Amino acid sequence: MTMTKYLCSVRVSFLLLVCVWAENSKAGRVNLSSFKWKDEEDNKNCSALESETSSLSVMHIQGKCSPFRVPNSTWWRVISESIKGDTQRYRAMMKGGWRAGKSMVNHQEDANIPLASGQAINTGDYIIKLGFGTPAQSFYTVLDTGSDVAWIPCNPCSGCSSEQFEPSKSSTYKYLTCASQQCQSLGVCSNNDNNVNCRRTQGYGDKSKVEELISSETLTVGSQPVEDFVFGCASSASGNIQSSPGLVGFGRDPVSFVSQTATLYDSTFSYCLPSLRSSAFTGSLLLGKGALSAQGMQFTPLLSNARYPSFYYVGLNGISVGGEPVSIPEGTFTFDSSTGGGTIIDSGTVITRLVEPAYNAMRDSFRRQLSNLTPASPTDFFDTCYNKPSGDSMNFPVITLHFDHSLDMSLPMENSLYPGNEDGSVLCLAFALPPDGYGDVLSIFGNYQQQNFRMVHDVPGSRLGIARDNCNGK
């Protein structure tokens, strides 16, 4: 079987379980007993998963089958810690210096990669498995639409995880000098001396740092080689980032994965994120024009913001709760290139953050429609929580996000409610405000609200596609 036929057959199998958009945008019926966190009860054979998916294997960085899982930590606590990182990530993204990238589109090869939810400080929440070098050495890396330059730990790497790339064992590894075009585009050198290696320090919002030697190598995506892929070969790591397996940026910069593989995948990709209620569910990443073929796909424009050109902006223009439009002050979601204002979609932020006027109005509408429930104490992250009512199920008001070009995204209840404790006896509205000091600038559409939707990034077509999908167990 040829590679193209194989990838197409995998793609079809991943898209068979397609759901329709929610027909009732007013109220959603919730099975109350299902709102609990599942740790090990999912009967998944991790060794079988590894052998079945081969180099396409990916899993939750803290999930059942992940080699990075922190021992003696419950699934609810893992996700809660990930949400804590949202605040630092938001601040780091607002302070970042991302640059615009121009994608060159030629021919395209589709690739399909399993995808699963994960947690990694504030660098992203999902990991994929890729090969580096010749012969390929396999590494899990964080998939992050909010950053660009890829990096992996390289031997010797002080403070890095035990899994480290061995450049000396690869016949295609090259380090880049300050005179190289790729290094100059990063703006990290003070001179153009050919004998000076291109080095970069990558910092994160929690004060973590990674020292990198900018290099090129053959990257293997499934069975597809990508020659001369530019990445950071990490020589040291400090802070919480030490536990990270590495990162592959899916932003718009010329050095991002999306731009560097444009001739193969047409700068087009989609992901399908599984439910966060189970540590064993996996989803998928699809690369290439095949990502556009999902059934029930609706599109809204992808916007470019000059202040943060690497981010994927979308036109969020309204919200409804229980079928009733929320009264949000005019201009709340205004797209503004001078301030970076607007709404971005991000794979690495867990909970959707809405600018203060929009969040307050949506929250108040949600509260009014649930006035019959008994309020529970707020949590560290959520200010609107309720004690789970008696009975097997009840109706909750459906939250619908309205995007440009009449794309209305009605959220299932598992995307709108967050179990506020480990036994699921408290349910919280799963939205939040931006960190203090950023309440009127940027809204972020997080991955908790994206679960069990296929999210298509069509960069050449400047559009975001959204379709309901069953992403669990992909």
Side-chain angles (χ1 to χ4, degrees):
M1 178 181 292
T2 67
M3 179 187 66
T4 301
K5 289 181 178 179
Y6 167 75
L7 293 174
C8 287
S9 67
V10 175
R11 180 181 72 247
V12 171
S13 68
F14 270 57
L15 296 176
L16 284 177
L17 298 176
V18 179
C19 300
V20 298
W21 289 84
E23 295 181 0
N24 187 346
S25 62
K26 294 183 179 181
R29 196 74 178 171
V30 176
N31 181 349
L32 296 174
S33 63
S34 69
F35 257 89
K36 61 182 180 180
W37 296 98
K38 301 176 183 177
D39 280 284
E40 300 299 337
E41 62 187 75
D42 294 278
N43 211 7
K44 183 177 286 265
N45 186 323
C46 295
S47 60
L49 174 68
E50 180 75 11
S51 62
E52 289 171 4
T53 56
S54 185
S55 62
L56 299 179
S57 172
V58 297
M59 54 199 67
H60 193 298
I61 199 170
Q62 295 291 339
K64 176 183 176 181
C65 297
S66 171
F68 304 101
R69 183 165 190 169
V70 176
N72 303 319
S73 181
T74 66
W75 186 237
W76 177 84
R77 194 162 301 281
V78 161
I79 302 302
S80 297
E81 287 297 316
S82 183
I83 295 173
K84 285 183 180 179
D86 278 357
T87 297
Q88 294 172 332
R89 178 178 176 85
Y90 186 105
R91 289 174 175 148
M93 293 173 79
M94 291 296 293
K95 294 177 181 178
W98 291 267
R99 294 174 304 282
K102 297 180 180 180
S103 299
M104 300 294 292
V105 178
N106 292 315
H107 68 85
Q108 161 266 327
E109 294 280 353
D110 292 334
N112 198 11
I113 302 176
L115 182 68
S117 171
Q119 183 269 343
I121 315 304
N122 50 2
T123 61
D125 282 294
Y126 294 86
I127 57 175
I128 59 176
K129 195 173 187 180
L130 300 170
F132 287 79
T134 305
Q137 302 171 42
S138 294
F139 291 90
Y140 290 105
T141 56
V142 173
L143 182 161
D144 188 5
T145 61
S147 61
D148 294 297
V149 182
W151 69 269
I152 56 171
C154 291
N155 188 30
C157 184
S158 173
C160 292
S161 64
S162 57
E163 294 292 328
Q164 298 182 11
F165 175 64
E166 299 276 359
S168 62
K169 295 182 179 180
S170 172
S171 63
T172 48
Y173 174 80
K174 304 172 186 175
Y175 65 84
L176 299 179
T177 66
C178 285
S180 67
Q181 180 182 355
Q182 298 93 330
C183 186
Q184 291 183 25
S185 72
L186 293 172
V188 295
C189 283
S190 57
N191 60 65
N192 292 327
D193 188 342
N194 285 330
N195 296 320
V196 176
N197 294 339
C198 181
R199 295 189 177 275
R200 177 176 183 262
T201 299
Q202 186 158 303
Y204 296 94
D206 63 348
K207 309 299 184 184
S208 294
K209 288 195 307 182
V210 179
E211 301 288 341
E212 304 163 5
L213 176 63
I214 302 302
S215 310
S216 71
E217 183 56 280
T218 296
L219 180 73
T220 303
V221 184
S223 57
Q224 173 67 55
V226 181
E227 296 180 352
D228 299 321
F229 182 80
V230 177
F231 72 106
C233 202
S235 58
S236 69
S238 60
N240 292 329
I241 201 68
Q242 291 176 324
S243 60
S244 177
L247 176 145
V248 173
F250 271 64
R252 290 169 151 177
D253 193 271
V255 293
S256 75
F257 175 90
V258 176
S259 297
Q260 290 196 64
T261 61
T263 57
L264 290 172
Y265 306 125
D266 288 327
S267 298
T268 304
F269 66 95
S270 76
Y271 52 73
C272 196
L273 308 183
S275 170
L276 283 179
R277 285 186 292 170
S278 170
S279 65
F281 288 159
T282 58
S284 66
L285 168 71
L286 182 61
L287 303 171
K289 289 297 186 184
L292 302 173
S293 64
Q295 296 181 30
M297 186 69 64
Q298 300 179 50
F299 291 94
T300 188
L302 275 177
L303 309 174
S304 296
N305 193 305
R307 185 174 179 88
Y308 300 114
S310 188
F311 293 160
Y312 295 100
Y313 278 79
V314 291
L316 179 64
N317 58 53
I319 303 172
S320 295
V321 177
E324 300 177 4
V326 174
S327 180
I328 298 174
E330 185 176 354
T332 295
F333 293 123
T334 297
F335 179 81
D336 190 333
S337 293
S338 63
T339 65
T343 303
I344 65 171
I345 178 172
D346 182 35
S347 68
T349 298
V350 183
I351 297 298
T352 293
R353 303 274 182 144
L354 296 173
V355 288
E356 189 168 3
Y359 175 77
N360 289 343
M362 183 202 68
R363 176 202 60 198
D364 293 346
S365 177
F366 189 82
R367 287 176 175 176
R368 283 194 300 270
Q369 297 184 46
L370 289 178
S371 58
N372 60 319
L373 295 186
T374 303
S377 299
T379 72
D380 292 341
F381 326 113
F382 307 113
D383 63 5
T384 300
C385 299
Y386 300 92
N387 292 314
K388 187 174 72 175
S390 59
D392 296 329
S393 63
M394 72 164 292
N395 287 332
F396 277 80
V398 170
I399 295 174
T400 301
L401 305 178
H402 303 292
F403 295 95
D404 292 348
H405 285 203
S406 301
L407 193 161
D408 298 331
M409 184 180 184
S410 294
L411 300 177
M413 286 300 100
E414 73 164 355
N415 298 41
S416 300
L417 298 175
Y418 182 89
N421 54 15
E422 295 197 51
D423 63 13
S425 61
V426 172
L427 298 177
C428 301
L429 175 63
F431 288 77
L433 286 166
D436 292 342
Y438 296 96
D440 61 350
V441 180
L442 182 70
S443 294
I444 299 182
F445 182 25
N447 60 53
Y448 194 81
Q449 280 63 44
Q450 298 174 45
Q451 59 187 333
N452 282 318
F453 281 89
R454 183 159 289 279
M455 314 299 296
V456 177
H457 293 62
D458 179 7
V459 178
S462 298
R463 59 182 183 166
L464 174 77
I466 302 177
R468 280 290 278 134
D469 201 346
N470 179 6
C471 308
N472 299 335
K474 294 280 188 174

